[in-house]
Amino acid sequence: MAEKNLHLQPRLRCLADLVPQQARLADIGTDHGYIPVYLLQRGRIDRAIAADIGAEPLEHARRTAEEYGLTEQIDFRLCDGLAGIGAEETDCILIAGMGGETIISILENAPWLRYGEHRLLLQPQSRQELLRTWLTEHGFRILREHLALDKGTIYNVMQVQAEVSAPLSEVELYGGVNVEEDPLYGDYLDWQINKMAQAVKGLRLSKNDDAQQRADELERLMALLNEKKGAWQRDKSSGN
Ligand SMILES: C[S@@+](CC[C@H](N)C(=O)[O-])C[C@H]1O[C@@H](n2cnc3c(N)ncnc32)[C@H](O)[C@@H]1O
């Protein structure tokens, strides 16, 4: 019987492609366990830790591994964030599909990450700007970001290392860090601008001064991102 091959959707594929060859991967919040299974199947890694805070998602990961005959190569851990994982057990930590605030709390609770021996791959579902700020203020540098279009949504994946980082510009904070080479960058900026425009619409309905000030601030940021998009498009069409 032909061996079954697991295929990944673009968001997960983008994450999997960034895991270094032979990494000692820890997939935190693994849920379905697709990323470790995909990488093991292709011989990109030899072993992985698949961790989740929930017994049910971890069971899901176990079923996926069973389906592809890979249970022996995966260490299943029921734990909150990195609480059940030792620093020396991994060199690549993937945290995906969770809100920015949850990712921050997982990183905060693992002070050993600050020694700089681990590559982090982070894919926040929300509060991207909050996560970017937290990282740069807490000894982490976003090396670059990658974008993936999956079922009509653009997701960003951050490659992060514990290193001193310069403060981010406002464009980086809302539009991503070192991501201009990604063909989806213009669409990502549009998505951010549209999100802000929606928020402004709601705020303008309020008579509250604070709400009006916030709306003014968002409009200023929208203009900055629009300007960046124009410059990016000009660069692209001139071949820079
Ligand atoms: C939406 S799923 C994402 C699954 C997968 N990482 C992905 O990107 O497709 C989020 C998973 O994170 C788990 N999770 C949430 N908070 C967690 C925490 N503090 N520690 C470990 N897992 C957590 C949830 O139980 C759930 O299985």
Side-chain angles (χ1 to χ4, degrees):
M1 196 172 74
E3 199 182 303
K4 270 202 312 190
N5 250 333
L6 176 66
H7 292 280
L8 297 179
Q9 298 296 312
R11 177 181 66 89
L12 293 177
R13 179 65 196 270
C14 175
L15 282 154
D17 285 348
L18 292 169
V19 174
Q21 189 82 15
Q22 298 311 317
R24 289 178 298 136
L25 174 70
D27 182 19
I28 309 303
T30 192
D31 193 358
H32 37 68
Y34 292 155
I35 291 183
V37 165
Y38 174 90
L39 293 170
L40 285 164
Q41 261 205 328
R42 283 157 182 79
R44 295 255 313 274
I45 57 173
D46 293 333
R47 292 201 60 78
I49 297 173
D52 207 287
I53 198 170
E56 262 183 47
L58 200 62
E59 212 30 62
H60 187 178
R62 215 186 290 274
R63 282 199 306 275
T64 306
E66 268 164 19
E67 193 180 336
Y68 292 92
L70 290 164
T71 36
E72 293 302 309
Q73 282 110 298
I74 302 182
D75 201 341
F76 299 92
R77 305 261 173 102
L78 184 64
C79 59
D80 183 352
L82 288 153
I85 295 163
E88 67 297 341
E89 292 187 285
T90 169
D91 55 16
C92 177
I93 294 166
L94 192 151
I95 313 178
M98 291 176 218
E101 279 149 325
T102 306
I103 295 179
I104 290 172
S105 102
I106 291 174
L107 300 178
E108 244 170 357
N109 289 325
W112 45 266
L113 290 175
R114 313 282 165 86
Y115 298 131
E117 282 155 15
H118 301 83
R119 169 62 56 93
L120 307 180
L121 297 174
L122 310 177
Q123 185 266 304
Q125 293 290 96
S126 60
R127 307 301 310 270
Q128 286 81 0
E129 65 288 349
L130 186 75
L131 178 58
R132 290 187 187 106
T133 305
W134 187 90
L135 287 166
T136 49
E137 288 179 354
H138 290 81
F140 294 96
R141 192 157 79 90
I142 304 169
L143 304 177
R144 62 169 301 181
E145 295 187 34
H146 304 259
L147 302 170
L149 178 63
D150 200 330
K151 299 188 191 86
T153 301
I154 298 183
Y155 297 92
N156 69 312
V157 175
M158 304 176 182
Q159 277 184 293
V160 173
Q161 188 83 31
E163 258 176 41
V164 176
S165 165
L168 301 181
S169 67
E170 286 182 313
V171 169
E172 288 174 317
L173 197 55
Y174 291 93
V177 178
N178 286 335
V179 62
E180 288 86 344
E181 278 175 29
D182 197 298
L184 290 169
Y185 183 54
D187 295 327
Y188 185 65
L189 290 176
D190 278 343
W191 175 71
Q192 291 287 27
I193 293 164
N194 286 337
K195 231 173 37 172
M196 289 177 182
Q198 289 302 318
V200 167
K201 238 192 223 168
L203 289 164
R204 291 291 183 215
L205 297 174
S206 162
K207 301 225 172 344
N208 178 300
D209 280 353
D210 286 351
Q212 294 311 314
Q213 270 179 20
R214 178 70 190 138
D216 292 347
E217 172 63 5
L218 286 175
E219 280 175 348
R220 188 184 65 76
L221 290 168
M222 284 161 63
L224 267 183
L225 295 184
N226 257 319
E227 211 177 286
K228 176 71 184 178
K229 187 180 168 198
W232 178 77
Q233 279 174 325
R234 282 192 295 281
D235 272 3
K236 240 179 42 151
S237 50
S238 68
N240 286 344

